[in-house]
Amino acid sequence: MSSRDLDTFVDVLERVKALDPVNTRKWFDELSLVDFSGGQVEIGCPDDLTARFLEENCKNTFMQAAGQITGHLVSVKFSVKQGASRKQANTGSEQTGSGPLLRLHPDYTFDNFVIGPSNRLAHASCVAVSQSPGTAYNPLFLYGTVGLGKTHLLHAICNETMRRTAGARIHFISCEEFVNRFISAIEAGKLGDFQNQFRTVDMLVIDDVQFLREREQSQEEFFHTFNALYNNRKQLILSADSPPGEIPSLEERLISRFKWGLVARIDPPTYETRIAIVKKKANLRGLGISDEISEYIAQKVQANIRELEGALTTIYAVAKASGEQITLVLAKQALGDQVKLAERQINISAIIETVSKHYGVRLADLQSKKRSQSIALPRQVCMYLARSLTRHSLEEIGGHLGGRDHTTVMHACAKILELEQSDAKVKTSLVEISKQLSKQ
Ligand code: ADP
Ligand code: MG
């Protein structure tokens, strides 16, 4: 490889950081150039997790940056550096359904988790479980409202367990996915495979088990999975938005089992914890942030840590778009808009109309029973935005979108919230639609 290639690579990296500060991470400095030939750049990553993070979140940005620097169309490949630790679990090859069952996020580690009075017990119990799975607390049940770090902690347990015990068989799955896989297995006549897959792991982590409500057959299946693993002293870790006894229509025998181990609550973070989280998140992206600005953000956004992160992102996005330095004045302007958006009365018709224009689908289709993906996604975006920007109830939102029930709306909100994190296209669409709405 020539030194010119290496220089180009450094330029490409710098350009990526400028193009997408939100997805930039400090560890980008550990990336290396493996090969640069035939219109392709191959980039060496520290481990599987980082390679997948780049593949899923940054591939287009790398291509764009490489194109801008070289003036040619360049394709991008991410590979794991030779000799790097294989930070990946044994996910088994005999899985039913699609996709591996351990897709960990490199950001969600214990190191990146800020401990405060609101989450101290939850954090300590997660650390204990990752150090002695199956014996410390079994099951471990975390609960708290949305955006307080449950999923982060679950990933951290898996990340840490993998680090300690290479090859541990861990399944991490959202409850919704568990239910979907269960239904597919029944349809395909492969229930045996499904059971085998879930009952033979060392650690089973199920996120958002409130999704089991009213799903009787899945509860039954989950009950047997639970027993099989528990009796074999395998670790079970669960999260939910409320304590076991308050999840509606959850069978008594599951409620009692969920309480066998440790039930740990996560509360909204205190002011000091929020400041520390803002700093941690900025640091993770390799961005400097002054005390003044982190204090301002922590004051402004109180309830949900995801929104805290969103506020940080907004400030950086506004600074980048305007080419200005990040000052308190800029931060206030940037967040002022966001707050105005939430406070103003946006009506649901305006949301549906704006979404329909954005995606180029007809209003009537959004309100129809059609289930094709091209209609379903925009419809879910409508539900999500209606939920976050208006005061309508789930039922009312469902009513505006073709008479759907409240669970459908709840499901849509959860899905878009997740896609907002994992799918750059959806994230961009949400930003654009919100901008349109704020102008009206
Ligand atoms: P939940 O699953 O409870 O809805 P998440 O785990 O998805 O919440 O957390 C939302 C965001 O907030 C994530 O980006 C996560 O990293 C961050 N977060 C939550 N709590 C903390 C914390 N104590 N320290 C650092 N980041 C946190
Ligand atoms: Mg979660």
Side-chain angles (χ1 to χ4, degrees):
M1 215 162 342
S2 70
S3 64
R4 226 181 94 216
D5 286 345
L6 287 172
D7 288 345
T8 307
F9 177 63
V10 171
D11 290 344
V12 169
L13 261 186
E14 287 311 307
R15 184 62 58 93
V16 167
K17 292 177 187 171
L19 286 171
D20 189 3
V22 171
N23 281 311
T24 294
R25 293 293 178 272
K26 250 186 12 198
W27 49 259
F28 278 17
D29 293 336
E30 292 170 47
L31 299 174
S32 62
L33 179 61
V34 178
D35 184 40
F36 202 160
S37 59
Q40 175 174 280
V41 54
E42 183 178 343
I43 298 171
C45 312
D47 53 48
D48 287 325
L49 296 189
T50 47
R52 210 182 46 237
F53 176 88
L54 291 170
E55 185 70 38
E56 288 175 359
N57 300 291
C58 310
K59 190 156 184 161
N60 284 340
T61 314
F62 271 86
M63 281 171 58
Q64 195 186 349
Q68 289 177 1
I69 299 292
T70 62
H72 302 292
L73 200 62
V74 180
S75 68
V76 174
K77 182 179 166 190
F78 300 106
S79 58
V80 178
K81 275 185 203 160
Q82 282 194 340
S85 64
R86 307 289 298 177
K87 258 201 211 166
Q88 191 52 283
N90 178 0
T91 52
S93 53
E94 75 295 3
Q95 297 171 358
T96 46
S98 57
L101 278 170
L102 191 64
R103 296 171 65 78
L104 298 178
H105 197 297
D107 287 354
Y108 294 171
T109 60
F110 286 129
D111 279 349
N112 290 336
F113 192 82
V114 175
I115 307 162
S118 57
N119 58 31
R120 194 177 305 281
L121 171 68
H123 173 266
S125 50
C126 290
V127 171
V129 162
S130 67
Q131 288 175 349
S132 38
T135 50
Y137 305 109
N138 204 14
L140 173 62
F141 190 103
L142 297 184
Y143 75 91
T145 56
V146 68
L148 296 187
K150 301 182 294 296
T151 302
H152 184 137
L153 281 173
L154 299 187
H155 279 254
I157 296 177
C158 298
N159 269 315
E160 181 60 16
T161 308
M162 288 312 306
R163 205 181 60 78
R164 291 172 162 266
T165 323
R169 286 179 57 87
I170 305 178
H171 278 359
F172 180 118
I173 190 169
S174 70
C175 187
E176 181 183 1
E177 173 94 20
F178 179 86
V179 170
N180 289 341
R181 284 185 187 231
F182 174 57
I183 294 170
S184 309
I186 296 177
E187 282 169 0
K190 289 189 172 169
L191 192 57
D193 288 354
F194 175 87
Q195 293 173 337
N196 213 6
Q197 182 187 8
F198 283 98
R199 295 183 192 181
T200 54
V201 291
D202 300 317
M203 184 182 270
L204 178 62
V205 186
I206 303 208
D207 202 2
D208 291 322
V209 291
Q210 72 273 5
F211 198 80
L212 277 179
R213 70 168 74 96
E214 287 156 23
R215 289 178 174 75
E216 284 163 31
Q217 212 185 341
S218 300
Q219 288 193 23
E220 167 89 22
E221 179 59 32
F222 185 64
F223 174 73
H224 294 296
T225 307
F226 185 103
N227 290 342
L229 291 172
Y230 186 85
N231 291 336
N232 286 318
R233 315 197 78 188
K234 304 298 185 192
Q235 181 69 47
L236 286 134
I237 305 163
L238 310 157
S239 82
D241 62 1
S242 35
E246 287 174 26
I247 300 176
S249 4
L250 190 67
E251 286 180 24
E252 202 46 51
R253 56 182 183 169
L254 274 178
I255 296 177
S256 78
R257 272 167 179 72
F258 289 172
K259 293 184 190 161
W260 277 353
L262 180 74
V263 176
R265 189 176 78 201
I266 308 187
D267 288 316
T270 60
Y271 174 60
E272 290 78 6
T273 309
R274 294 199 300 278
I275 295 179
I277 292 174
V278 172
K279 287 188 173 164
K280 181 73 107 183
K281 295 288 174 191
N283 187 267
L284 196 64
R285 297 174 187 178
L287 305 168
I289 186 160
S290 67
D291 287 350
E292 193 180 48
I293 291 177
S294 38
E295 283 161 17
Y296 171 70
I297 298 177
Q299 237 166 35
K300 192 91 188 164
V301 184
Q302 309 208 338
N304 176 326
I305 298 169
R306 194 169 290 139
E307 286 174 16
L308 213 56
E309 234 179 317
L312 186 67
T313 303
T314 306
I315 294 174
Y316 280 95
V318 168
K320 200 184 127 222
S322 64
E324 286 174 48
Q325 292 290 330
I326 297 180
T327 57
L328 189 59
V329 173
L330 178 130
K332 281 186 174 167
Q333 275 169 355
L335 294 193
D337 270 355
Q338 212 180 39
V339 172
K340 243 194 284 156
L341 187 64
E343 280 168 0
R344 265 201 22 227
Q345 291 293 315
I346 288 178
N347 75 46
I348 193 160
S349 315
I351 293 176
I352 299 176
E353 206 179 302
T354 311
V355 171
S356 109
K357 274 197 201 128
H358 177 88
Y359 283 101
V361 295
R362 295 186 320 152
L363 274 177
D365 284 340
L366 287 177
Q367 293 168 330
S368 73
K369 297 277 173 218
K370 285 188 190 162
R371 284 163 154 249
S372 64
Q373 181 60 17
S374 60
I375 305 290
L377 180 78
R379 186 184 292 131
Q380 288 171 328
V381 167
C382 286
M383 293 177 180
Y384 172 78
L385 289 172
R387 187 71 183 145
S388 31
L389 302 177
T390 74
R391 293 189 192 281
H392 288 292
S393 68
L394 294 168
E395 283 77 10
E396 285 168 336
I397 294 170
H400 276 90
L401 288 153
R404 287 173 161 80
D405 67 19
H406 74 283
T407 50
T408 309
V409 178
M410 227 157 63
H411 166 71
C413 295
K415 170 138 183 229
I416 299 300
L417 195 65
E418 200 179 313
L419 288 177
E420 190 180 11
Q421 306 282 309
S422 63
D423 184 327
K425 238 164 121 182
V426 169
K427 190 154 116 193
T428 316
S429 291
L430 287 171
V431 171
E432 272 171 21
I433 295 166
S434 304
K435 259 196 220 147
Q436 286 300 324
L437 284 167
S438 68
K439 281 189 205 149
Q440 289 172 10

